[in-house]
Amino acid sequence: MRYYSLNRQSPDVDFKEATIRGQAPDKGLYFPEQIPVIDPAFFKNIDQFSNEEIAFRFINPYVAGAMPDDELQRIVAETINFHIPLVQVKDDTYSLELFHGPTLAFKDVGARFMSRCLGYFARERSERVVVLVATSGDTGGAVAHGFYNVPGVEVVILYPSGKVSSVQEKQLTTLGKNIHALEVKGSFDDCQQMVKQAFVDESLTSRIFLTSANSINVARWLPQQFYYALAWKQWKDKENPPVICVPSGNFGNICAGLLAHRSGLPVSHFVAACNVNDVVTQYLHSGQYQAQKAVPTLSNAMDVGNPSNFVRILELFNHEFGNLTNVLSSFSISDEETRTTIKEVYDRYRYLADPHGAVGYLGLQRYLDSHPGQKGMFLETAHPVKFYDVVEPVIGAPVPLPEAVQAIVHKVKQSRIIESDYEALRAYLQERY
Ligand SMILES: *Cc1c(COP(=O)(O)O)cnc(C)c1O
């Protein structure tokens, strides 16, 4: 498979190049030249296939040629070696729980896949790789965990100071070894901007083999198709495909769902649930795309004012607004509605949602309200314990700590505070590498 830059000023590359570079030299996102079409019989008989076979079927056309099949099979198996259950919350609503991985959020899937691909390509080249990543909360932990102790790979994580939850912060600042955390006095958008600038700074890239681990990287974006397919495997009513509601920030996750749908995965409609950072919600109503400054909310992993993956969605729909709105709707949910939803879902159905899942739940209800008879699922993207400071006061009960979290809450944070200024990042990288 070849990948072209959405800015169309850089040459096409293969999967390996696209993974190593992260972003094209012209600052565009990479996009596959063809979208594979999967046989309808496969979807009809999906329960006859193992999870690994399903995942391999989706990813193989995108990777083929860049590594041997057995290597890819091994990576796929390690990527999805935890449960991804579809849990019924009420009659017409299911939760696809994506938080059973090591850092308790869906980003484990993309991060595990990408870190293993990059580890494989780095071994081939025998050169040190520096992975640079900006996080609004969950990416950092997932990436740190995915790359921890991987030989030849150093990870530098930028996160907005005071704007991630305490569990998230521990997950990205307590590993040590090849994982380094920079606490930026600014917003997630500032962190993302600084990272983007580093990739086009030749004074760095000529000396350091820099790559990104953000959701713009194809090796993180593409494997996110897996759990949409695994959800379909668990969906009972094969005659009536689900509405799928995705709590969205940078729009990588939902874009992977839309891609899987384009390959043939049955889905009745997609809903992007946003918090008050609602650029895309506004766009789908007005046709006008107006980037905003990110506003902090309870669902902090979605505090994005200019979602980088949205250009991929536009490309997928040939920039035709009508085609897009046939498949995708969006709702914006306030913090107050998020709290009320967490409480109501807990009190009525004994289901505990995290703030992102609650936004997804309510977004789905908004859509189902005007489409009676349909059923759907929301993606529960993080474990509620990651946001216990929000969730516990709302439900008036403690959230028990899973083992993965118990092990880190008492560890000491190790981070370096830096100004929200590209020069500060450059100086750090110059000095260190
Ligand atoms: C990253 C994240 C999101 C948003 O996903 P995008 O792919 O950026 O749209 C939603 N929920 C949680 C818990 C996240 O960590």
Side-chain angles (χ1 to χ4, degrees), residues 105-107 138 224 247-253 301-302 354 356 381-382:
F106 82 92
K107 292 194 174 69
D138 284 332
Q224 297 179 122
S248 296
N250 243 331
F251 280 73
N253 195 0
M302 315 198 302
D354 94 292
H356 305 79
T381 47

